[in-house]
Amino acid sequence: MFVRRNVTSLAPALAAVALLTAGCGGQDDAGSGSEAPASSATPHGYVEGAAEAAEQQSRLLLGDLGSGDTRVLDLITGKVHDAARGPGVTALTTDGRFGYFHGADDTRVLDSGAWMVDHGDHVHYYRAKIQEVGELPGGTGTGVRSDAGVTVVTSADGKASVYPRAELEKAALGTPARLPGTYAGAVVPYAEHLIALTGERGGPARVAVLDRSGKQGAAPEAECEDPRGDAVTRRGIVLGCADGALLVHEDDGAFTAEKIPYGEDVPRQERAVEFRHRPGSSTLTAPAGKEAVWVLDVTEGAWTRVETGPVVAANTAGEGSPLLVLETDGALHGYDISAGKETAVTDPLLKTTPEAGADGAGAPVIEVDRSRAYLNDPSGKRVYEIDYNDDLRVARTFDLDVRPSLMVETGR
């Protein structure tokens, strides 16, 4: 049996740290809080109003579907912070910093105050105050995708608007720019452009490459039949299609598209349509029907179907890490992806494992970072922290005063 451990602080937030990477060499210490640095020269990585830290500053955004209560769990300090209630929320997504609480008529934006900036050869981690930003127009079916420069909101009818990211970072929505036309899926910022699919939803769609104003540029000759699901990886953007995946990649300003087929006929109900992965990883997971999981290795351009028990949620850290699957027995199972064999299993952690509704809301999820996985238990009002490199050991248990029906991790 697993022993519940007391939640303790892992490390205090660092107000200022020496930059540790070679890419930051020769720079002054980062500023902290809202105070300007003493030197007239702005240190590399300085962000006004934020403290830079030497380690990932992960936080969990949690939403209670029944009450609309919202909590932010700081995984560094172990403290739980209240946030404004959001009745009517049906789904929760994130771009790594902001939480998007999707409702029937609009989408509430919450700044988690934790994020990272990846410069390729080095990474900066930041923490700041948690604050409300506002409400974006667009209800059920709205997709929100972001990069460092813009946030794009695509409504269920295919219309898209571009919001300046700098305004969101100041806790304001700013004035959006409306993109011309309509699109067959979420418009995704990538490589200082926007990747979109043109065509009717549910039918064949063609890849379009837009600039930030919506003007079309040179695009690869590629189609995606019945597009559903997308993910941004270091290798490019992955789009879910009827016959597998389409990988859109940019190299020195030129865009290419590569098909990654399943290699077999896959029934629509067993297709990969909702990708989950560790940010920065190129290994994606998605349920393959009710009793199997697809694992897509983007680097190798290959799919693996892992036969599991009845699937509630799945994820993996990639790079040799186990496939994590929450099954209907309430236990978390670990699988060796290449062998397709179960390697570890916990005692039942969830007494009840609710099935997702038609909109995908309500079922537990697995969030993964470089060292830990997080599993929400709505009925038990808790979140489990799992050491997936140590036979799925329960490292910490966070007891809550709300049902965490919705969960995303920020700061990664």
Side-chain angles (χ1 to χ4, degrees):
M1 294 292 293
F2 291 99
V3 178
R4 176 172 296 179
R5 303 189 176 195
N6 293 330
V7 177
T8 58
S9 173
L10 293 180
L14 300 179
V17 297
L19 299 177
L20 302 178
T21 61
C24 300
Q27 301 289 348
D28 295 333
D29 288 352
S32 63
S34 59
E35 299 180 359
S39 170
S40 59
T42 302
H44 174 68
Y46 172 76
V47 175
E48 184 177 1
E52 187 167 6
E55 61 182 350
Q56 182 173 289
Q57 301 296 294
S58 292
R59 291 173 178 173
L60 295 179
L61 302 186
L62 306 165
D64 187 324
L65 283 174
S67 67
D69 288 330
T70 304
R71 300 289 185 267
V72 181
L73 170 57
D74 191 320
L75 294 170
I76 300 299
T77 66
K79 294 181 179 179
V80 179
H81 303 268
D82 292 348
R85 295 183 70 232
V89 172
T90 59
L92 172 60
T93 60
T94 186
D95 56 19
R97 173 175 178 174
F98 296 93
Y100 300 98
F101 293 80
H102 303 266
D105 301 313
D106 50 40
T107 299
R108 168 183 161 224
V109 185
L110 176 66
D111 185 350
S112 73
W115 71 96
M116 62 166 281
V117 177
D118 188 351
H119 287 294
D121 61 341
H122 65 283
V123 176
H124 296 271
Y125 298 108
Y126 297 98
R127 62 186 294 121
K129 65 181 180 180
I130 302 162
Q131 54 187 345
E132 297 287 336
V133 176
E135 294 181 346
L136 297 169
T140 303
T142 297
V144 183
R145 305 291 186 270
S146 304
D147 68 1
V150 297
T151 293
V152 184
V153 179
T154 309
S155 60
D157 61 5
K159 298 176 182 178
S161 297
V162 181
Y163 288 79
R165 181 77 170 186
E167 293 299 312
L168 267 67
E169 293 171 353
K170 297 175 184 176
L173 296 179
T175 302
R178 171 73 183 278
L179 295 179
T182 59
Y183 303 95
V187 177
V188 184
Y190 170 66
E192 300 183 0
H193 289 73
L194 305 175
I195 305 302
L197 290 168
T198 59
E200 297 294 328
R201 292 196 174 206
R206 296 187 65 82
V207 174
V209 178
L210 317 175
D211 66 16
R212 295 297 164 99
S213 66
K215 181 180 179 181
Q216 294 201 23
E221 294 288 331
E223 285 192 351
C224 180
E225 181 77 24
D226 191 16
R228 291 191 295 165
D230 58 84
V232 178
T233 74
R234 288 185 179 274
R235 299 285 177 174
I237 293 179
V238 174
L239 304 172
C241 309
D243 57 354
L246 185 67
L247 174 65
V248 179
H249 174 70
E250 182 270 343
D251 185 15
D252 198 23
F255 290 82
T256 59
E258 173 190 352
K259 275 283 189 181
I260 308 177
Y262 288 120
E264 59 184 83
D265 290 334
V266 175
R268 195 173 193 270
Q269 66 271 20
E270 295 182 9
R271 283 176 43 194
V273 298
E274 185 179 352
F275 297 106
R276 299 190 66 85
H277 70 303
R278 175 181 61 80
S281 168
S282 293
T283 304
L284 310 182
T285 68
K290 294 185 176 181
E291 299 205 10
V293 174
W294 287 113
V295 179
L296 173 59
D297 186 328
V298 179
T299 302
E300 296 296 327
W303 294 91
T304 300
R305 181 185 171 105
V306 180
E307 301 295 334
T308 64
V311 179
V312 178
N315 210 335
T316 183
E319 301 173 0
S321 297
L323 169 65
L324 306 178
V325 183
L326 174 66
E327 301 183 12
T328 53
D329 59 3
L332 189 65
H333 300 249
Y335 291 87
D336 181 294
I337 296 172
S338 59
K341 301 295 185 181
E342 185 177 277
T343 57
V345 61
T346 68
D347 291 330
L349 300 176
L350 279 64
K351 301 301 182 185
T352 60
T353 52
E355 296 283 347
D359 56 4
V365 297
I366 302 169
E367 291 286 334
V368 179
D369 57 36
R370 288 189 176 276
S371 62
R372 294 289 191 267
Y374 297 92
L375 172 64
N376 56 321
D377 178 5
S379 62
K381 293 186 178 181
R382 61 176 66 93
V383 171
Y384 293 102
E385 180 182 76
I386 308 294
D387 185 347
Y388 54 79
N389 289 316
D390 188 14
D391 292 328
L392 308 185
R393 176 178 60 87
V394 177
R396 292 188 290 177
T397 300
F398 300 94
D399 291 311
L400 304 165
D401 63 343
V402 298
R403 293 169 59 92
S405 313
L406 305 172
M407 181 179 76
V408 295
E409 183 178 356
T410 65
R412 297 176 295 178

